[in-house]
């Protein structure tokens, strides 16, 4: 185990995240195994066994639904609680996901982003956290493992400041299982940055209260309205906490979003997560050829920084949204969010879907797509490296009525 | 202020009445000193067995802990009729999350208390039979096998009453529910289905499992007291008749609970680490008809459509319980 705080060392992303969680002094950790989140919680289970986490209780449970429910109980009792999951696990706990935010419990959860089935697929895309994007949780996305670790420290601070749960989304395998140069979390700085959890409301014997009452038609709308407006207001603390973190730790993790040569670019690529690394390389190549292109990495996906993004894109002529999730009916959710924030701006917009189920997004494919975009010859919706031969063959077969044979 | 002592005496069974008990042993169902964890004004139906069972169970917990306990509640009748926002009938720290996760939430509460060094505060969880034996079964089984320090109360009224009396995994054979209607060749709930949650709890080897009923409140309190002496996962399954769901008179709720016990249909027993340690003997055995005929959910067994075979099959269940749990005194 590399252990020189303050200096970068070669570690796996999951291990770096586990170290960050440990530095946040959680009191209850509860998780259920699902690939690719496992290495994070395995590392934390070992630390708990070795009594490196103080009084922290590591609870092994029978399902993700129970894992988040244990966190609900712990958080409602005034303890800092953490869980991690992926894919089917997130969907299996969906009811508790909404319940956590509805009860304003500041639980922090890592999503090791993975495709959702069927067909079953264990590899990376972002359809899991996207499926729960409107569940009232703040969502922060990491580009690399340094950010992945650092965002967790900010996540606890943020969650406990605004009384909302936070998901930190980390691309499965591409980050969780990748070894990178990472500066492991410094305990002293973390303690300075993250004060002990002081809940606004928790079970206590001095003042018995009922938490989780049934709310009828006479008050439910107001509860929902207040939740939503306070959720939207958390954009400001996301930004300020991010700046405070950067000042103390000497490294930034994105804030709401981060420009890459995009302030004055005609074409701006917008994406979430680890694919931003590849996009930046491609932007560099195209800029070397003289193209006016840049990219924006969205770090805070929920709440969506719509007004700030619109402002940031005031010079752009077109945006190309690259994303790793795709839903029947709506298409790419990030694209929809971007389009909504650009309403009546006259900025052209293209939706590009790629990397579903773990398919690699290659530089050469992005270069071609971005060039087409800059020449206005890109389709409104396109798919990176979709095998058209397979699609055509299947469609023909189905139309001929031979499917199922 | 002048006070007067109000005493309610249990009638209709063969146990010694409260008035004959020592002051320490007598159960006070209503005094001004009583804690009343569940206060008046809640919205339960008239004659609700669950309200009575929950009040006695939680009151005993609070009495024994000196009010140092947290209560986790599953979604269901009890949750709905006690906490219509902004009102609450609970005088205790109380937490409700979802229908199927009360055991896991309670685990989280217990874990937090351990982490905070406050394990002197005890944790109990409660739910109806739907949340316990069906939708929250996985969470409960997980809580059992980890032996988490939680006492779980199941208030069993044998169907999903809150949603309008649909069948649960605890609905007895032949009972009419909205989803096992009196229709077709085999009316009511089929034989050979359903689960026996106390036995399943015992199979986990947890330190304490007991059944209790609202007609035997002192027995119920004694079992809560026994459970609270123990750390780890504990389970008490309480039979709570439901006038609405069973089609019975509100005034007959306690009577029905007693008939269920006296017929052998609801055996009262205790088990430790998977082994039955004691059972309450039936003082005056009654045939199951006496229990069944007071409930409209069994109306199809009587009258014009009289079903002697059906009644005999239910009697067989009672007889099996009587043998299995040794519910009759050995002949002298």
């Amino acid at each position: 185990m590399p252990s020189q705080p303050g200096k970068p060392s070669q570690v796996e992303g999951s291990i770096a995240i586990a170290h960050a969680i440990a530095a946040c002094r959680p009191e209850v950790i509860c998780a259920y195994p699902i690939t690719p989140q496992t290495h994070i919680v395995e590392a934390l289970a070992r630390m708990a066994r070795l009594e490196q986490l103080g009084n922290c209780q590591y609870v092994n449970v029978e399902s993700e639904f129970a894992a988040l429910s244990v966190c609900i109980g712990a958080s409602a009792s005034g303890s800092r609680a953490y869980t991690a999951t992926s894919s089917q696990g997130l969907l299996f706990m969906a009811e508790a996901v909404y319940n956590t935010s509805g009860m304003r419990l500041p639980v922090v959860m890592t999503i090791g982003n993975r495709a959702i089935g069927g067909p079953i697929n264990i590899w990376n895309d972002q359809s899991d956290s996207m499926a729960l994007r409107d569940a009232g949780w703040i969502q922060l996305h990491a580009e690399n493992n340094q950010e992945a670790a650092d965002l967790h420290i900010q996540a606890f601070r943020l969650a406990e400041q605004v009384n909302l749960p936070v998901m930190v989304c980390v691309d499965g395998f591409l980050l969780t299982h990748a070894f990178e140069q990472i500066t492991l979390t410094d305990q002293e700085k973390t303690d300075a940055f993250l004060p002990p959890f002081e809940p606004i409301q928790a079970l206590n014997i001095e003042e018995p209260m009922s938490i989780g009452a049934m709310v009828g038609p006479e008050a439910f709308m107001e509860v929902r309205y207040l939740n939503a407006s306070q959720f939207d207001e958390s954009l400001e603390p996301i930004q300020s906490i991010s700046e405070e973190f950067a000042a103390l730790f000497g490294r930034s993790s994105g804030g709401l979003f981060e420009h890459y040569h995009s302030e004055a670019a005609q074409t701006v690529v917008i994406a979430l997560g680890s694919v931003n690394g590849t996009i930046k390389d491609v932007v560099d190549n195209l800029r070397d050829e003289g193209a006016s292109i840049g990219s924006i990495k969205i770090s805070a996906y929920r709440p969506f920084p719509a007004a700030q993004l619109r402002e940031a894109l005031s010079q752009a002529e077109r945006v190309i949204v690259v994303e790793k999730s795709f839903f029947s009916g709506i298409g790419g959710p990030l694209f929809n969010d971007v389009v909504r924030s650009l309403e009546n701006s006259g900025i052209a917009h293209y939706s590009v879907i790629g990397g579903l189920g773990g398919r690699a997004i290659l530089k050469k494919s992005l270069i071609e797509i971005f060039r087409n975009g800059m020449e206005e010859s890109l389709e409104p919706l396109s798919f990176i490296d979709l095998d058209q031969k397979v699609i055509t063959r299947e469609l023909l077969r189905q139309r001929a009525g031979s499917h199922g044979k | 202020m002048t006070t007067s002592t109000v005493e309610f005496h249990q009638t209709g069974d063969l146990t010694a009445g409260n008035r004959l008990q020592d002051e320490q042993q007598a159960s006070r169902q209503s005094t001004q000193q009583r804690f009343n964890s569940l206060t008046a004004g809640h919205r339960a139906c008239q004659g609700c067995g669950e309200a009575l069972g929950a009040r006695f169970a939680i009151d005993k917990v609070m009495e024994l802990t000196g009010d140092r306990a947290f209560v986790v509640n599953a979604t269901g009748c009890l949750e709905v009729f006690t906490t219509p926002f902004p009102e609450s009938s609970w005088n205790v720290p109380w937490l409700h999350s979802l229908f199927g996760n009360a055991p896991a939430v309670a685990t989280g509460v217990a874990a937090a208390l351990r982490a905070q060094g406050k394990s002197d505060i005890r944790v109990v969880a409660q739910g109806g039979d739907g949340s316990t034996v069906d939708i929250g079964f996985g969470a409960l089984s997980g809580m059992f096998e980890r032996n988490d320090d939680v006492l779980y109360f199941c208030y069993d009224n044998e169907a999903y009453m809150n949603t309008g009396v649909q069948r649960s995994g605890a609905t007895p054979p032949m009972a009419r529910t909205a989803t096992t209607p009196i229709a077709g060749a085999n009316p009511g709930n089929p034989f050979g289905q359903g689960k026996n949650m106390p036995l399943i709890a015992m199979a986990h080897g947890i330190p304490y499992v007991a059944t209790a009923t609202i007609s035997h409140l002192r027995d119920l309190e004694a079992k809560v007291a026994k459970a609270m002496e123990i750390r780890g996962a504990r389970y008490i399954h309480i039979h709570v008749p439901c006038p609405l769901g069973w089609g019975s008179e509100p005034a007959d709720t306690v009577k029905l609970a007693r008939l269920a016990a006296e017929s052998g249909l609801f055996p009262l027993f205790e088990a430790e680490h998977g082994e039955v340690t004691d059972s309450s003997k039936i003082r005056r055995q009654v045939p199951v008809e006496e229990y069944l005929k007071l409930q409209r959910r069994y109306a199809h067994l009587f009258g014009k459509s009289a079903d002697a075979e059906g009644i005999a099959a239910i009697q067989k269940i009672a007889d099996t319980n009587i043998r299995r749990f040794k519910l009759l005194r050995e002949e002298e």
Side-chain angles (χ1 to χ4, degrees):
Chain A
M1 175 66 53
S3 59
Q4 255 203 310
K7 291 209 172 72
S9 45
Q10 190 76 9
V11 290
E12 193 194 42
S14 294
I15 303 302
I17 292 167
H19 272 261
I21 297 304
C24 292
R25 304 188 186 279
E27 289 182 294
V28 175
I29 298 172
C30 185
Y32 182 82
I34 183 166
T35 303
Q37 138 274 31
T38 38
H39 291 185
I40 303 168
V41 294
E42 287 168 6
L44 287 166
R46 168 169 281 271
M47 290 182 211
R49 269 293 164 87
L50 297 173
E51 299 184 351
Q52 294 166 351
L53 301 179
N55 281 338
C56 180
Q57 307 291 310
Y58 186 97
V59 187
N60 283 295
V61 283
E62 73 288 346
S63 77
E64 288 90 356
F65 178 58
L68 186 53
S69 299
V70 166
C71 290
I72 287 171
S75 189
S77 305
S79 278
R80 186 170 285 161
Y82 170 80
T83 187
T85 192
S86 299
S87 182
Q88 314 302 129
L90 182 62
L91 297 192
F92 196 54
M93 63 166 68
E95 188 189 12
V97 171
Y98 275 84
N99 195 244
T100 311
S101 55
M103 293 173 83
R104 306 291 302 264
L105 297 173
V107 175
V108 169
M109 169 158 65
T110 308
I111 307 299
N113 280 117
R114 164 182 153 180
I116 49 181
I120 188 170
N121 174 297
I122 66 161
W123 292 278
N124 168 246
D125 66 31
Q126 294 171 341
S127 44
D128 47 4
S129 61
M130 277 299 177
L132 272 286
R133 66 187 180 275
D134 299 322
W137 286 55
I138 292 169
Q139 278 194 5
L140 307 176
H141 282 254
E143 176 187 346
N144 53 52
N145 278 323
Q146 187 68 63
E147 283 189 7
D150 294 347
L151 283 173
H152 283 90
I153 303 159
Q154 296 167 56
F156 277 112
R157 170 80 183 276
L158 179 64
E160 291 166 14
Q161 185 170 323
V162 301
N163 297 298
L164 286 169
V166 180
M167 285 182 205
V168 180
C169 303
V170 181
D171 281 320
F173 295 113
L174 297 178
L175 292 180
T176 56
H177 289 53
F179 283 72
E180 290 186 288
Q181 285 284 309
I182 305 167
T183 303
L184 293 177
T185 307
D186 181 285
Q187 185 66 61
E188 268 182 47
K189 283 182 183 169
T190 306
D191 288 340
F193 181 77
L194 179 65
F197 174 34
E198 282 182 27
I200 45 163
Q201 173 185 274
L203 291 175
N204 76 84
I205 49 173
E206 282 78 27
E207 290 175 71
M209 65 174 89
S210 300
I211 302 177
M214 179 171 199
V215 176
E218 62 284 351
F220 192 84
M221 291 252 294
E222 287 72 18
V223 171
R224 272 281 170 272
Y225 181 93
L226 286 168
N227 263 10
S229 62
Q230 286 162 358
F231 183 74
D232 288 343
E233 283 167 16
S234 62
L235 281 172
E236 196 283 321
I238 292 173
Q239 181 64 34
S240 61
I241 286 170
S242 159
E243 285 165 12
E244 205 183 310
F245 181 91
L248 183 62
F249 287 79
R251 49 184 192 264
S252 109
S253 347
L256 299 178
F257 52 82
E258 202 173 68
H259 283 285
Y260 189 74
H261 301 303
S262 49
E263 291 91 336
Q266 289 171 352
T267 301
V268 177
V269 180
I270 299 174
L272 293 164
S274 65
V275 73
N276 277 290
T278 316
I279 289 171
K280 285 175 182 174
D281 281 355
V282 172
V283 163
D284 285 345
N285 293 350
L286 293 172
R287 288 182 72 86
D288 287 347
E289 296 170 9
S292 176
I293 187 168
S295 66
I296 286 179
K297 166 179 81 188
I298 305 281
S299 296
Y301 177 60
R302 281 291 181 273
F304 192 72
Q308 293 85 343
L309 186 67
R310 187 186 173 100
E311 172 77 25
L313 289 168
S314 58
Q315 304 294 310
E317 289 174 16
R318 68 188 68 84
V319 296
I320 301 173
V321 180
V322 176
E323 62 189 307
K324 295 202 260 189
S325 60
F326 182 68
F327 295 96
S328 308
I330 195 175
L334 176 61
F335 176 73
N336 278 271
D337 286 308
V338 170
V339 168
R340 202 156 47 91
S341 64
L342 294 182
E343 211 172 2
N344 299 323
S345 67
I347 299 174
H349 34 264
Y350 301 94
S351 178
V352 177
I353 308 295
L356 300 185
R359 184 168 298 183
I361 297 181
L362 302 175
K363 273 176 70 176
K364 65 177 171 59
S365 311
L366 287 180
I367 287 174
E368 188 187 332
I369 283 169
F370 296 168
R371 281 197 179 124
N372 288 344
M374 288 187 285
E375 288 162 10
E376 304 283 347
S377 61
L378 191 60
E379 294 292 319
L381 170 63
S382 48
F383 295 83
I384 304 173
D385 298 331
L386 186 70
D387 190 337
Q388 275 299 345
K389 274 190 299 190
V390 171
I391 305 283
T392 309
R393 188 187 68 208
E394 272 306 297
L395 288 176
L396 283 172
R397 215 161 65 92
Q398 288 177 21
R399 274 172 207 144
S402 62
H403 59 285
K405 283 191 183 165
Chain B
M1 191 174 93
T2 49
T3 61
S4 59
T5 306
V6 180
E7 291 191 21
F8 291 94
H9 299 296
Q10 204 163 298
T11 57
D13 67 6
L14 301 175
T15 55
N18 258 343
R19 62 195 184 282
L20 302 178
Q21 301 276 8
D22 292 342
E23 191 64 20
Q24 279 76 24
Q25 287 188 320
S27 175
R28 291 278 171 266
Q29 294 184 25
S30 174
T31 73
Q32 289 180 335
Q33 284 73 44
R34 194 186 168 101
F35 185 84
N36 286 328
S37 51
L38 179 58
T39 56
H42 60 68
R43 300 179 182 186
C45 306
Q46 194 180 19
C48 174
E50 186 174 33
L52 180 59
R55 186 161 75 87
F56 270 74
I58 304 302
D59 270 0
K60 194 66 185 174
V61 168
M62 300 316 277
E63 180 197 319
L64 293 165
T65 58
D67 306 345
R68 297 176 70 79
F70 290 168
V71 179
V72 175
N73 211 130
T75 307
C77 276
L78 182 60
E79 168 261 334
V80 169
F81 75 65
T82 57
T83 60
F85 178 84
E87 296 152 10
S88 174
S89 297
W90 294 103
N91 263 330
V92 298
W94 181 93
L95 174 64
H96 160 252
S97 170
L98 296 167
F99 199 9
N101 72 355
V105 171
T107 291
V109 172
L113 289 171
R114 209 156 50 242
Q116 295 168 16
K118 294 181 187 165
S119 290
D120 61 309
I121 299 175
R122 308 296 295 274
V123 183
V124 300
Q126 54 184 356
D129 52 290
S131 71
T132 304
V133 317
D134 289 343
I135 198 168
F137 180 71
L140 185 62
S141 177
M143 188 203 95
F144 285 163
E145 67 83 9
R146 291 186 302 270
N147 199 25
D148 292 329
D149 190 15
V150 175
L151 168 57
Y152 189 98
F153 294 110
C154 170
Y155 306 114
D156 180 9
N157 57 20
E158 303 184 338
Y160 289 90
M161 301 316 185
N162 191 43
T163 43
V165 199
Q166 296 83 13
R167 176 202 182 271
S168 82
T171 300
M174 302 300 282
R176 176 207 67 194
T177 68
T179 51
T180 54
I182 306 308
N186 298 296
N189 196 39
F191 275 93
Q193 298 186 1
K195 39 186 144 174
N196 188 323
M197 197 59 215
L199 293 180
I200 295 170
M202 283 166 58
H204 289 77
I206 57 175
Y208 187 72
V209 172
T211 59
T213 184
I214 54 157
S215 58
H216 295 53
L217 288 169
R218 291 191 29 70
D219 177 67
L220 187 158
E221 289 180 323
K223 284 165 176 170
V224 175
K226 179 91 168 272
M228 290 302 287
E229 285 171 10
I230 301 167
R231 291 283 182 162
R234 292 142 289 146
Y235 180 74
I236 300 183
H237 190 105
I238 304 173
H239 199 222
V240 292
C242 169
L244 177 84
W246 295 11
S248 56
E249 289 302 315
D252 282 344
T253 295
V254 174
K255 182 180 186 179
L256 278 169
R258 182 173 301 113
L259 289 171
E262 301 270 89
S263 64
L265 279 176
F266 190 83
L268 293 169
F269 65 94
E270 292 176 283
E272 291 177 40
H273 301 287
E275 283 184 49
V276 175
T277 53
D278 203 359
S279 61
S280 299
K281 305 306 173 201
I282 294 172
R283 298 287 297 274
R284 179 182 64 103
Q285 194 185 358
V286 296
V288 295
E289 285 101 314
E290 281 196 37
Y291 170 69
L292 302 175
K293 70 187 180 194
L294 296 176
Q295 307 172 52
R296 284 195 300 281
R297 64 175 172 162
Y298 295 115
H300 56 293
L301 297 177
F302 301 98
K304 268 186 278 182
S305 59
D307 180 357
E309 266 180 50
I311 294 172
I314 294 173
Q315 183 63 53
K316 208 172 154 196
I317 294 171
D319 294 344
T320 305
N321 283 339
I322 288 168
R323 269 201 315 279
R324 185 176 199 171
F325 296 102
K326 302 186 174 60
L327 300 180
L328 290 179
R329 254 168 237 290
E330 304 279 319
E331 292 297 323
E332 294 291 314

